[in-house]
Amino acid sequence: MSGASLHTMHDIRDRTAITGVGWTALSKNSGRSASALATEAGLAAVADAGLETTDIDGLITFYWGQRDTPAPAELVAGLGLTSCRMSFCDSGGGAWACAAIAAAAMAVHAGMCRHVLVYRAANSRSGPPPPASTDLWPSGQRQWSEPFGATHAATLYGPYVSAYMDHYGIDNRDFAPLAVQQRANAALNRKAMMTEPISVDDHQSSPWIVHPFRRLDCSIWNDGGMAVVVSATADARRLAQTPVTIRAMAGGSLATPVKARTGRDRWALNALTLAPSLYENAGVTPADLDLAELYDPFTGMALLHIEQFGLTPAGRAPACVRDGELALDGRLPVNTNGGHLNEGNLAGLGHIIEAVQQLRADGVRDDHCDGAHDHDRDHCRQVRDPELALVGAESGDSALILRRAA
């Protein structure tokens, strides 16, 4: 990266902030339209920031494959916006989750908007299946996967994770501690869908979906909505919540959705390319982080994210999880809300919302604490005094480092 571009990234460091977060109930059947879910989540995020809907002047959303989230024009009407100076609807799916926040931050920093609402809502579980494709001859990236049976995420990610397992001598049982740990975190999250404790034996007895993934290795499918407000930090200091500033951000694609073109190994993700510049732009190292919220479509992919963002040595993530290093009271808590495996899956927005909650002065508000956070893991998932959080989107295609403002 050139000196000029690094200087530009330093200019935006901590100049923008996430000022509001909101969500609906996550369920198997919402009984409501996606527009209604997006509106509810958006209103909650705006209220959380201490703003009025008329303060929102930008809208961003994202999806993968068929668009299932409401278009920005629907939210203009649903929220009653009086101005919308910028809108964006991207098809990058979970790989774009952090890039959506980055796009909002750039619009605010450039002066296009004052407060941008980033949202996603869908009835992914209860809605009708997408219409059958009329493209009988898959094109683009799909031509290398669909004719060979790789038609969903497990079949696309499985070969990468299998190659990693073969190289490091890892088997499916090594995924179990992460599944157990994330379920334990979810039990402390009132909005999580999956909260019953599980054991290693439960993991090992769950049925195979596609090798190397068992059912308890897989993220869940749900209805719901989530939203985030991005504002200038100068404005954020006058609003309702502790500012959580965007210390550094990165987004893009090197052969979406999985493989970095520059990777030597068959399991190399885009995180390997993105992480060094992300940390450089933030002026931190992985050792400075206090928590990490990493995209987890499957346990095996979460382990790859942990390693390739530099949080553990290569091949050591399973052992580090097993030894408690990445638990709530470990050296670097990971996926403190239970992640997509348990909380629910809205393509990465839940990870961003969790990081923001953890970094606020009052901490998370949806655990089971009665009063102040006491760090008793029977009811409290609040990390102790965090200042810096990493959020990594799918395959490390985009990422953020967030900071509790001084």
Side-chain angles (χ1 to χ4, degrees):
M1 184 175 287
S2 71
S5 59
L6 275 176
H7 177 70
T8 301
M9 291 302 296
H10 292 165
D11 283 348
I12 200 172
R13 181 193 289 175
D14 293 322
R15 298 290 184 89
T16 60
I18 296 176
T19 53
V21 296
W23 57 85
T24 69
L26 304 176
S27 68
K28 295 181 180 180
N29 189 343
S30 72
R32 304 164 63 197
S33 69
S35 290
L37 295 170
T39 300
E40 180 186 339
L43 289 171
V46 171
D48 182 58
L51 294 167
E52 302 292 333
T53 54
T54 51
D55 294 316
I56 301 298
D57 53 5
L59 294 168
I60 293 177
T61 191
F62 56 102
Y63 63 96
W64 173 253
Q66 299 285 336
R67 184 176 65 80
D68 55 358
T69 188
E74 296 177 61
L75 264 289
V76 169
L79 295 173
L81 303 192
T82 57
S83 175
C84 187
R85 295 184 173 90
M86 186 273 292
S87 66
F88 202 166
C89 183
D90 194 271
S91 62
W96 207 70
C98 295
I101 303 298
M106 288 186 285
V108 168
H109 188 64
M112 291 178 64
C113 303
R114 289 195 64 191
H115 305 285
V116 177
L117 184 74
V118 179
Y119 67 92
R120 173 166 166 74
N123 285 315
S124 301
R125 180 68 177 266
S126 68
S133 174
T134 56
D135 183 3
L136 300 179
W137 297 98
S139 58
Q141 183 182 356
R142 292 171 53 233
Q143 69 185 302
W144 308 114
S145 56
E146 290 188 8
F148 306 98
T151 57
H152 55 79
T155 56
L156 289 168
Y157 288 130
Y160 293 91
V161 176
S162 294
Y164 161 80
M165 294 166 70
D166 181 68
H167 183 79
Y168 290 107
I170 291 166
D171 63 28
N172 176 264
R173 189 177 180 86
D174 293 309
F175 297 169
L178 182 63
V180 172
Q181 175 181 293
Q182 291 200 188
R183 180 63 65 85
N185 293 347
L188 306 175
N189 180 357
R190 286 188 282 113
K191 67 179 179 295
M193 295 181 65
M194 307 295 288
T195 59
E196 288 295 320
I198 59 172
S199 66
V200 169
D201 287 344
D202 292 330
H203 176 275
Q204 287 295 284
S205 63
S206 67
W208 289 103
I209 301 302
V210 171
H211 189 273
F213 305 127
R214 295 180 182 272
R215 185 173 64 195
L216 288 178
D217 291 309
C218 302
S219 65
I220 56 180
W221 209 233
N222 55 273
D223 297 357
M226 290 183 172
V228 167
V229 178
V230 177
S231 312
T233 301
D235 286 337
R237 295 186 186 282
R238 296 190 290 269
L239 298 180
Q241 301 291 346
T242 307
V244 173
T245 63
I246 301 171
R247 181 76 175 176
M249 53 193 182
S253 177
L254 290 172
T256 297
V258 178
K259 180 105 172 140
R261 291 193 184 103
T262 55
R264 299 188 310 274
D265 301 319
R266 290 169 290 169
W267 56 93
L269 306 178
N270 295 335
L272 281 173
T273 301
L274 177 145
S277 61
L278 180 76
Y279 294 134
E280 182 180 2
N281 289 336
V284 304
T285 70
D288 297 315
L289 299 172
D290 299 300
L291 64 134
E293 309 294 342
L294 303 176
Y295 205 91
D296 55 328
F298 307 96
T299 50
M301 286 298 294
L303 294 170
L304 291 184
H305 290 146
I306 288 167
E307 294 182 10
Q308 295 182 32
F309 273 108
L311 308 185
T312 72
R316 290 289 299 162
C320 290
V321 173
R322 188 172 57 248
D323 293 343
E325 293 186 32
L326 308 183
L328 289 175
D329 291 315
R331 65 171 178 83
L332 182 66
V334 169
N335 290 353
T336 54
N337 60 346
H340 286 158
L341 298 180
N342 303 289
E343 180 185 73
N345 188 339
L346 280 164
L349 267 189
H351 293 72
I352 295 164
I353 287 173
E354 176 68 7
V356 171
Q357 286 203 90
Q358 288 281 355
L359 292 174
R360 285 178 168 177
D362 295 335
V364 296
R365 66 174 191 258
D366 56 0
D367 62 4
H368 295 282
C369 289
D370 182 13
H373 294 292
D374 59 9
H375 310 292
D376 182 333
R377 300 315 177 192
D378 284 338
H379 51 254
C380 180
R381 76 174 191 276
Q382 176 63 46
V383 173
R384 300 172 191 271
D385 301 318
E387 181 181 348
L388 287 169
L390 166 69
V391 185
E394 188 173 27
S395 298
D397 230 33
S398 63
L400 302 167
I401 291 179
L402 303 179
R403 176 175 175 265
R404 179 190 291 182

